[in-house]
């Protein structure tokens, strides 16, 4: 299907200082405009700042800058959010926001490869029944992982939640099963994370490039071949926990992108090695679950905190690994 020009015009007055152009537009434009689409919009020369054409996606915005966007190029049929009857697990709900417990291997929002069957498609169907506004995704987690995500029903509320994330007012905690035995009870990691253009994965670097990221890890239980951790994010880089756990030599169990499909223990009996390899081969998830979320309600201005129990896949994995 051919792409077509959608005759839309957007104008933004910048209230931030030294913010990247692409990151700002991702925050401001509707969800159908993904990062890749926004990059194309900029490269095609459709973005003007203070009446000057800008084609650099990394352009640094200043306060009082004026952004104007003309003729956004998208495939209208593919990126129009459709409602679908999909089962979703709602932890909390009011007319302003919802907290959803996402299962493993479910896609959160539509894209080129997944135009339908996503969490947002299901939420739109659900909101239509309650006659509420359209859904906006406030945070995301990877397809192969599970846990709590925030969906809001208004752009102003979305801006409030985004600001809470920026100011680190939202507390997100995870449960992770990692390869090997971690000796320390508590670990804090500070590092710069940047995208590797060759592998398309994120990587940790020591140079002053990328984004400074902070994570903390606390040991909950040590088994013979894996360790159960509680993780806390203080910044929000993509794959941050996965990259940091690889950095300390204990990647998340079954995280093939970052080395979690390798057995780290020495002198493991052949029979047990075969069992673990069989589990890795037949597991279609990464042993990472966003189990706790705390934020300030954007309307009621009260702290709300919700937890979700670990999925049965992780529970079963712990039980099996404890018997080896």
């Amino acid at each position: 299907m051919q792409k077509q020009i959608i005759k839309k015009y957007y104008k933004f007055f910048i209230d931030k200082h030294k913010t990247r152009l692409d990151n700002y537009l991702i925050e401001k434009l509707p969800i159908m405009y993904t990062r890749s689409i926004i990059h194309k919009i900029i490269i095609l020369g459709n973005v003007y700042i203070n009446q000057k054409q800008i084609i650099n996606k990394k352009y640094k915005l200043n306060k009082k800058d004026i952004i104007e966007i003309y003729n956004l190029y998208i495939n209208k049929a593919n990126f129009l959010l459709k409602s679908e009857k999909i089962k979703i697990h709602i932890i909390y709900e009011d007319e302003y926001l919802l907290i959803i417990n996402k299962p493993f291997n479910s896609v959160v929002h539509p894209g080129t490869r997944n135009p339908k069957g996503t969490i947002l498609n299901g939420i739109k169907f659900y909101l239509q029944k309650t006659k509420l506004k359209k859904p906006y995704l406030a945070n995301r987690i990877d397809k192969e992982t599970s846990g709590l995500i925030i969906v809001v029903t208004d752009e102003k509320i979305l801006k409030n939640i985004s600001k809470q994330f920026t100011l680190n007012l939202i507390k997100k905690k995870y449960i992770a099963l990692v390869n090997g035995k971690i000796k320390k009870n508590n670990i804090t990691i500070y590092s710069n994370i940047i995208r590797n253009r060759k592998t398309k994965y994120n990587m940790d670097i020591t140079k002053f490039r990328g984004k400074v990221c902070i994570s903390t890890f606390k040991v909950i239980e040590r088994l013979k071949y894996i360790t159960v951790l509680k993780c806390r994010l203080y910044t929000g880089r993509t794959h941050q926990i996965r990259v940091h756990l690889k950095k300390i030599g204990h990647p998340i169990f079954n995280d093939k992108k970052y080395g979690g499909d390798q057995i780290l223990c020495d002198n493991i009996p052949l029979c047990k090695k075969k069992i673990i390899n069989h589990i890795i081969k037949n597991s279609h998830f990464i042993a990472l679950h966003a189990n706790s979320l705390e934020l300030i309600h954007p309307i009621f201005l009260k702290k709300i905190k919700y937890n979700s129990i670990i999925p049965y896949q992780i529970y079963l994995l712990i039980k099996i690994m404890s018997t080896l």
Side-chain angles (χ1 to χ4, degrees):
M1 186 177 291
Q2 293 183 345
K3 292 182 179 179
Q4 51 186 296
I5 298 175
I6 309 305
K7 296 290 184 179
K8 283 194 175 181
Y9 169 79
Y10 286 93
K11 188 173 184 178
F12 301 110
F13 298 88
I14 309 305
D15 55 358
K16 296 182 178 181
H17 187 62
K18 296 300 180 184
T19 303
R20 262 180 55 159
L21 173 62
D22 57 346
N23 291 336
Y24 184 84
L25 292 182
I26 286 166
E27 179 184 332
K28 293 293 183 181
L29 288 172
I31 194 167
M32 61 185 176
Y33 298 105
T34 62
R35 182 177 290 272
S36 60
I37 292 174
I38 287 172
H39 287 173
K40 289 178 184 177
I41 290 168
I42 298 170
I43 292 169
L44 286 170
N46 293 335
V47 178
Y48 289 77
I49 299 176
N50 302 327
Q51 300 183 344
K52 181 181 178 181
Q53 188 181 53
I54 301 296
I55 59 172
N56 180 11
K57 65 184 181 182
K58 296 182 180 179
Y59 180 90
K60 295 292 185 180
L61 298 170
N62 294 300
K63 284 186 177 181
K64 298 184 179 180
D65 279 349
I66 300 174
I67 301 178
E68 294 177 284
I69 310 172
Y70 303 88
N71 297 344
L72 302 190
Y73 287 79
I74 63 168
N75 187 320
K76 187 176 181 181
N78 284 350
F79 289 96
L80 184 65
L81 184 62
K82 300 176 182 178
S83 63
E84 295 180 66
K85 191 175 181 180
I86 296 170
K87 186 177 180 181
I88 51 177
H89 183 194
I90 299 174
I91 300 291
Y92 172 84
E93 174 188 4
D94 60 37
E95 62 180 301
Y96 306 106
L97 61 86
L98 299 91
I99 297 177
I100 310 295
N101 191 20
K102 184 189 94 67
F104 288 117
N105 294 311
S106 60
V107 181
V108 177
H109 59 89
T112 306
R113 295 181 181 178
N114 302 282
K116 58 182 181 178
T118 70
I119 297 289
L120 271 186
N121 293 119
I123 292 171
K124 185 175 182 182
F125 178 86
Y126 178 80
L127 292 179
Q128 283 178 346
K129 293 193 302 180
T130 57
K131 297 181 180 180
L132 292 177
K133 300 177 183 179
K134 64 180 181 179
Y136 294 89
L137 195 65
N139 69 307
R140 308 180 186 193
I141 55 180
D142 300 328
K143 174 185 174 182
E144 304 90 344
T145 62
S146 63
L148 302 179
I149 56 175
I150 306 170
V151 178
V152 301
T153 57
D154 183 88
E155 289 189 43
K156 291 182 179 179
I157 298 174
L158 178 63
K159 185 176 181 180
N160 179 285
I161 298 294
S162 298
K163 190 170 184 179
Q164 287 191 52
F165 272 114
T166 302
L167 297 175
N168 198 30
L169 297 175
I170 295 180
K171 296 179 181 178
K172 288 181 66 180
K173 295 180 181 178
Y174 295 74
I175 297 293
L177 275 59
V178 301
N179 286 335
K181 240 183 208 183
I182 297 180
K183 295 180 180 179
K184 292 183 178 180
N185 291 327
N186 295 282
I187 300 172
T188 300
I189 299 179
Y190 299 82
S191 75
N192 286 46
I193 293 178
I194 195 169
R195 188 80 161 176
N196 187 320
R197 293 183 179 179
K198 292 182 179 179
T199 63
K200 303 300 181 183
Y201 301 154
N202 283 5
M203 59 184 290
D204 177 83
I205 58 172
T206 55
K207 298 177 182 178
F208 294 100
R209 293 190 299 138
K211 182 179 178 181
V212 177
C213 299
I214 307 170
S215 307
T216 60
F217 304 100
K218 181 179 180 180
V219 173
I220 298 175
E221 185 178 4
R222 293 182 180 91
L223 302 176
K224 198 168 185 180
Y225 304 115
I226 65 170
T227 304
V228 182
L229 296 177
K230 181 182 287 185
C231 317
R232 168 84 191 276
L233 288 180
Y234 291 87
T235 49
R237 189 68 168 172
T238 302
H239 294 180
Q240 180 177 320
I241 290 178
R242 298 164 69 177
V243 174
H244 278 175
L245 287 171
K246 179 185 178 181
K247 175 183 173 67
I248 64 174
H250 296 278
I252 298 173
F253 188 87
N254 201 37
D255 187 356
K256 297 177 176 64
K257 285 185 179 179
Y258 296 97
D261 56 342
Q262 303 295 322
I263 301 171
L264 300 179
C265 300
D266 298 325
N267 302 319
I268 180 172
L270 182 60
C271 59
K272 295 183 179 181
K273 189 173 183 178
K274 286 183 177 179
I275 292 172
I276 296 174
N277 281 329
H278 179 77
I279 294 171
I280 291 172
K281 184 178 179 180
N282 292 279
S283 297
H284 304 291
F285 65 93
I286 296 170
L288 179 66
H289 175 69
N291 73 306
S292 179
L293 189 63
E294 182 180 327
L295 68 150
I296 300 171
H297 196 286
I299 303 299
F300 306 140
L301 302 179
K302 293 182 179 180
K303 280 189 178 181
I304 57 173
K305 181 178 179 180
Y306 285 89
N307 299 303
S308 67
I309 61 174
I310 63 172
Y312 77 91
Q313 295 97 324
I314 290 182
Y315 176 79
L316 186 61
L317 183 58
I318 293 173
K319 287 294 182 183
I320 293 172
M321 298 299 286
S322 65
T323 62
L324 296 179

